Coordinates of all heavy atoms in Angstrom, one line a residue:
G24 N 0.7 -1.2 0.0 CA -0.1 0.0 -0.1 C 0.8 1.3 0.0 O 0.3 2.4 -0.2
L25 N 2.1 1.2 0.2 CA 3.0 2.3 0.2 C 3.7 2.4 -1.2 O 4.1 1.4 -1.8 CB 4.1 2.3 1.2 CG 3.6 2.4 2.7 CD1 4.8 2.4 3.6 CD2 2.8 3.6 2.9
S26 N 3.9 3.7 -1.7 CA 4.5 3.9 -2.9 C 5.5 4.9 -2.8 O 5.3 5.9 -2.1 CB 3.4 4.2 -4.0 OG 4.1 4.6 -5.2
S27 N 6.6 4.8 -3.5 CA 7.7 5.9 -3.5 C 7.3 7.0 -4.4 O 8.0 8.1 -4.5 CB 9.1 5.4 -3.8 OG 9.0 4.8 -5.2
K28 N 6.2 6.9 -5.1 CA 5.8 7.9 -6.1 C 4.3 8.2 -5.9 O 3.6 7.3 -5.5 CB 6.0 7.4 -7.5 CG 7.4 7.0 -7.9 CD 7.3 6.4 -9.3 CE 8.7 5.8 -9.6 NZ 8.7 5.1 -11.0
P29 N 3.9 9.5 -6.1 CA 2.4 9.8 -6.1 C 1.6 9.0 -7.1 O 2.2 8.6 -8.1 CB 2.4 11.2 -6.4 CG 3.7 11.8 -6.1 CD 4.6 10.7 -6.5
V30 N 0.4 8.4 -6.6 CA -0.3 7.5 -7.5 C -1.7 8.1 -7.7 O -2.4 8.6 -6.8 CB -0.5 6.2 -6.8 CG1 -1.2 5.2 -7.6 CG2 1.0 5.6 -6.7
L31 N -2.2 8.0 -8.9 CA -3.6 8.1 -9.2 C -4.0 6.8 -9.7 O -3.6 6.2 -10.7 CB -3.8 9.2 -10.3 CG -5.1 9.4 -10.8 CD1 -6.0 10.2 -9.6 CD2 -5.3 10.1 -12.1
S32 N -5.0 6.2 -9.0 CA -5.6 5.0 -9.4 C -7.0 5.1 -9.9 O -7.8 6.0 -9.5 CB -5.6 4.1 -8.2 OG -6.4 4.5 -7.1
V33 N -7.4 4.3 -10.9 CA -8.7 4.3 -11.5 C -9.2 2.8 -11.6 O -8.3 1.9 -11.8 CB -8.7 5.0 -12.9 CG1 -8.2 6.4 -12.8 CG2 -7.8 4.3 -14.0
T34 N -10.4 2.6 -11.6 CA -11.0 1.3 -11.7 C -11.7 1.3 -13.1 O -12.5 2.2 -13.5 CB -12.0 1.0 -10.7 OG1 -11.4 1.1 -9.5 CG2 -12.5 -0.4 -10.8
T35 N -11.3 0.3 -13.9 CA -12.0 0.2 -15.2 C -12.5 -1.4 -15.4 O -12.1 -2.2 -14.6 CB -11.0 0.5 -16.3 OG1 -11.7 0.5 -17.6 CG2 -9.7 -0.4 -16.2
D36 N -13.2 -1.4 -16.4 CA -13.7 -2.9 -16.7 C -13.5 -3.1 -18.2 O -14.3 -2.5 -19.1 CB -15.2 -3.0 -16.3 CG -15.7 -4.4 -16.2 OD1 -15.1 -5.3 -16.9 OD2 -16.7 -4.7 -15.6
S37 N -12.6 -3.8 -18.6 CA -12.2 -4.1 -20.0 C -12.9 -5.3 -20.6 O -13.0 -6.4 -19.9 CB -10.7 -4.2 -20.2 OG -10.4 -4.4 -21.5
P38 N -13.6 -5.1 -21.7 CA -14.3 -6.4 -22.3 C -13.4 -7.5 -22.7 O -13.8 -8.6 -22.9 CB -15.0 -5.7 -23.6 CG -14.2 -4.5 -23.9 CD -13.7 -3.9 -22.5
S39 N -12.0 -7.1 -23.0 CA -11.1 -8.2 -23.3 C -9.7 -7.7 -22.9 O -9.5 -6.6 -22.5 CB -11.1 -8.4 -24.8 OG -10.7 -7.2 -25.5
A40 N -8.8 -8.8 -22.8 CA -7.4 -8.5 -22.6 C -6.8 -7.9 -23.7 O -6.8 -8.4 -24.8 CB -6.6 -9.8 -22.1
R41 N -6.1 -6.7 -23.5 CA -5.4 -5.9 -24.6 C -4.4 -5.0 -24.2 O -4.5 -4.6 -22.9 CB -6.5 -5.3 -25.5 CG -7.3 -4.2 -24.7 CD -8.2 -3.5 -25.6 NE -9.5 -4.3 -25.8 CZ -10.5 -3.9 -26.5 NH1 -10.5 -2.8 -27.1 NH2 -11.6 -4.8 -26.6
T42 N -3.6 -4.5 -25.0 CA -2.6 -3.5 -24.7 C -3.2 -2.2 -25.3 O -3.5 -2.1 -26.6 CB -1.2 -3.8 -25.2 OG1 -0.7 -4.9 -24.7 CG2 -0.2 -2.6 -24.9
V43 N -3.3 -1.2 -24.5 CA -3.9 0.1 -25.1 C -3.1 1.2 -24.7 O -2.1 1.2 -23.8 CB -5.3 0.3 -24.4 CG1 -6.3 -0.8 -24.6 CG2 -5.1 0.4 -22.8
T44 N -3.2 2.3 -25.4 CA -2.5 3.6 -25.2 C -3.5 4.4 -24.5 O -4.5 4.8 -25.0 CB -1.9 4.1 -26.6 OG1 -1.1 3.2 -27.2 CG2 -1.3 5.5 -26.3
V45 N -3.1 4.9 -23.3 CA -3.9 5.7 -22.5 C -3.4 7.1 -22.5 O -2.1 7.4 -22.3 CB -4.0 5.1 -21.1 CG1 -5.0 6.0 -20.3 CG2 -4.7 3.8 -21.2
R46 N -4.3 8.1 -22.6 CA -3.9 9.5 -22.4 C -4.5 10.0 -21.1 O -5.7 10.1 -20.9 CB -4.4 10.3 -23.6 CG -4.0 11.8 -23.6 CD -4.3 12.5 -24.9 NE -4.1 13.9 -24.9 CZ -4.2 14.7 -25.9 NH1 -4.4 14.1 -27.0 NH2 -4.1 16.0 -25.8
L47 N -3.6 10.5 -20.1 CA -4.0 11.1 -18.9 C -3.8 12.5 -18.8 O -2.6 13.0 -19.1 CB -3.3 10.3 -17.8 CG -3.3 10.9 -16.4 CD1 -4.8 10.8 -15.9 CD2 -2.5 10.1 -15.4
S48 N -4.8 13.4 -18.7 CA -4.5 14.8 -18.5 C -5.2 15.2 -17.2 O -6.2 14.8 -16.7 CB -5.3 15.5 -19.6 OG -4.8 15.1 -20.9
Y49 N -4.3 16.2 -16.6 CA -4.8 16.7 -15.2 C -4.2 18.0 -15.0 O -3.2 18.4 -15.6 CB -4.5 15.7 -14.2 CG -3.0 15.3 -14.0 CD1 -2.2 16.1 -13.2 CD2 -2.6 14.1 -14.7 CE1 -0.8 15.8 -13.1 CE2 -1.2 13.8 -14.5 CZ -0.4 14.6 -13.8 OH 0.9 14.3 -13.6
L50 N -4.8 18.8 -14.1 CA -4.2 20.0 -13.6 C -3.4 19.7 -12.4 O -3.8 18.8 -11.6 CB -5.3 21.0 -13.3 CG -6.1 21.4 -14.3 CD1 -7.2 22.5 -13.8 CD2 -5.3 22.3 -15.4
A51 N -2.2 20.4 -12.2 CA -1.4 20.2 -11.0 C -0.8 21.6 -10.6 O -0.4 22.4 -11.4 CB -0.3 19.3 -11.4
S52 N -0.8 21.7 -9.3 CA -0.2 23.0 -8.7 C 1.2 22.8 -8.6 O 1.8 21.7 -8.8 CB -0.8 23.3 -7.4 OG -0.6 22.2 -6.5
G53 N 2.0 23.8 -8.2 CA 3.4 23.8 -7.9 C 4.3 24.1 -9.1 O 5.4 23.6 -9.2
F54 N 3.7 24.9 -10.1 CA 4.5 25.2 -11.4 C 4.4 26.8 -11.4 O 3.5 27.4 -10.9 CB 3.9 24.6 -12.6 CG 4.1 23.1 -12.7 CD1 3.1 22.3 -12.2 CD2 5.2 22.6 -13.3 CE1 3.3 20.9 -12.2 CE2 5.3 21.3 -13.3 CZ 4.4 20.4 -12.9
D55 N 5.3 27.4 -12.2 CA 5.2 28.8 -12.5 C 6.2 29.1 -13.6 O 7.2 28.2 -13.9 CB 5.6 29.6 -11.2 CG 4.9 31.0 -11.3 OD1 4.4 31.4 -12.3 OD2 5.0 31.7 -10.2
W56 N 6.1 30.2 -14.2 CA 7.1 30.7 -15.1 C 7.2 32.2 -15.3 O 6.3 32.9 -14.8 CB 6.8 30.0 -16.4 CG 5.5 30.7 -17.3 CD1 4.4 30.4 -17.1 CD2 5.7 31.7 -18.3 NE1 3.6 31.1 -18.0 CE2 4.4 31.9 -18.6 CE3 6.7 32.5 -18.7 CZ2 4.1 32.9 -19.6 CZ3 6.4 33.5 -19.8 CH2 5.1 33.6 -20.2
R57 N 8.4 32.7 -15.7 CA 8.6 34.1 -15.9 C 9.3 34.3 -17.1 O 10.1 33.3 -17.6 CB 9.4 34.7 -14.7 CG 8.7 34.7 -13.4 CD 7.6 35.7 -13.3 NE 7.2 35.8 -11.9 CZ 6.3 35.0 -11.4 NH1 5.7 33.9 -12.1 NH2 5.8 35.1 -10.1
A58 N 9.3 35.5 -17.7 CA 10.1 36.0 -18.7 C 11.2 36.8 -18.3 O 11.0 37.6 -17.3 CB 9.3 36.7 -19.8
S59 N 12.4 36.7 -18.8 CA 13.5 37.6 -18.5 C 14.2 38.0 -19.8 O 14.5 37.3 -20.8 CB 14.6 36.7 -17.7 OG 14.1 36.2 -16.5
Y60 N 14.3 39.4 -19.9 CA 14.8 40.0 -21.1 C 16.1 40.6 -20.9 O 16.4 41.3 -19.9 CB 13.9 41.0 -21.5 CG 12.4 40.6 -21.9 CD1 11.4 40.7 -20.9 CD2 12.1 40.1 -23.1 CE1 10.1 40.3 -21.1 CE2 10.8 39.6 -23.3 CZ 9.8 39.7 -22.4 OH 8.5 39.3 -22.6
V61 N 17.1 40.3 -21.9 CA 18.4 40.8 -21.8 C 18.6 41.7 -23.1 O 18.5 41.1 -24.1 CB 19.4 39.7 -21.8 CG1 20.8 40.3 -21.8 CG2 19.2 38.9 -20.5
A62 N 18.8 42.9 -22.9 CA 19.0 43.8 -24.1 C 20.4 44.4 -24.1 O 21.0 44.7 -23.1 CB 18.1 45.0 -24.0
T63 N 21.0 44.4 -25.3 CA 22.4 44.9 -25.4 C 22.4 46.1 -26.4 O 22.0 45.9 -27.6 CB 23.4 43.9 -25.9 OG1 23.3 42.7 -25.1 CG2 24.8 44.4 -26.1
Q64 N 22.7 47.2 -25.9 CA 22.8 48.5 -26.8 C 23.9 48.5 -27.6 O 25.0 48.2 -27.2 CB 22.7 49.7 -25.8 CG 22.7 51.0 -26.4 CD 22.8 52.2 -25.4 OE1 22.0 52.3 -24.6 NE2 23.6 53.1 -25.7
A65 N 23.7 48.8 -28.9 CA 24.8 48.8 -29.8 C 25.7 50.0 -29.7 O 25.3 51.0 -29.0 CB 24.2 48.8 -31.4

């Protein structure tokens, strides 16, 4: 029950055994960005 990584678990019911490509999208806090400008006068 312990994991070294954060886990999102979902329950699904597949009609057959298969390998699928899954796309997971979510919002997450803890990010940010800024712009920094460097100008050089001739």
Side-chain angles (χ1 to χ4, degrees):
L25 291 182
S26 173
S27 60
K28 306 174 184 177
V30 174
L31 176 73
S32 62
V33 300
T34 304
T35 185
D36 196 340
S37 179
S39 61
R41 65 180 75 178
T42 299
V43 297
T44 299
V45 178
R46 182 171 170 174
L47 169 64
S48 300
Y49 57 88
L50 296 177
S52 61
F54 293 89
D55 208 348
W56 73 275
R57 293 289 189 279
S59 304
Y60 300 95
V61 179
T63 304
Q64 180 179 309

